[in-house]
Amino acid sequence: MKFNPKRHSGYSSSLANSIVDKDKPVYSISNEPTPQQKFENKKPTGEIIAYKSWFTQSGLPPFEVKFTKEMRLPTYLSVVEFVNLQAVEVSYNVYFKADDIKEVK
């Protein structure tokens, strides 16, 4: 996702909260998490270090969130909340990570 906020160093909750509106629902659009492998010397090692899934919110393009542990995703288009959502800007791109997700009933 491209974004041009004030520069932050490292992941921050304030950057994530300035992009993702807590008053609007966030929908899960992934069926299952995608594993992210560790790379050494530009080659995959086969070691899984994170999992990524896609989400959407009205007014935003779809965005990917990284999780350090494997989680069970709710069904497609379920409304979710993030546990400790954070974002970082790198070269005008924003990357998100969270500790976990909860389905909103």
Side-chain angles (χ1 to χ4, degrees), residues 7-27:
R7 295 262 177 188
H8 295 271
S9 61
Y11 280 94
S12 82
S13 296
S14 61
L15 177 60
N17 292 334
S18 72
I19 299 169
V20 178
D21 188 343
K22 289 191 176 220
D23 295 330
K24 292 182 181 177
V26 175
Y27 299 93

Side-chain angles (χ1 to χ4, degrees), residues 19-21 28 30 32 34 37-38 47 55 77 91 105:
I19 299 169
V20 178
D21 188 343
S28 175
S30 290
E32 59 185 58
T34 304
Q37 291 189 42
K38 179 179 179 179
E47 179 185 352
F55 302 90
L77 291 180
S91 301
K105 302 265 174 170

Side-chain angles (χ1 to χ4, degrees), residues 33-74:
T34 304
Q36 180 182 0
Q37 291 189 42
K38 179 179 179 179
F39 278 72
E40 288 181 2
N41 301 321
K42 299 183 181 181
K43 295 182 181 176
T45 63
E47 179 185 352
I48 305 299
I49 58 170
Y51 296 86
K52 294 182 177 182
S53 296
W54 286 91
F55 302 90
T56 190
Q57 184 179 63
S58 176
L60 292 178
F63 58 96
E64 191 173 40
V65 179
K66 180 171 79 172
F67 302 89
T68 56
K69 62 179 184 176
E70 187 172 14
M71 74 294 191
R72 190 163 171 254
L73 287 174

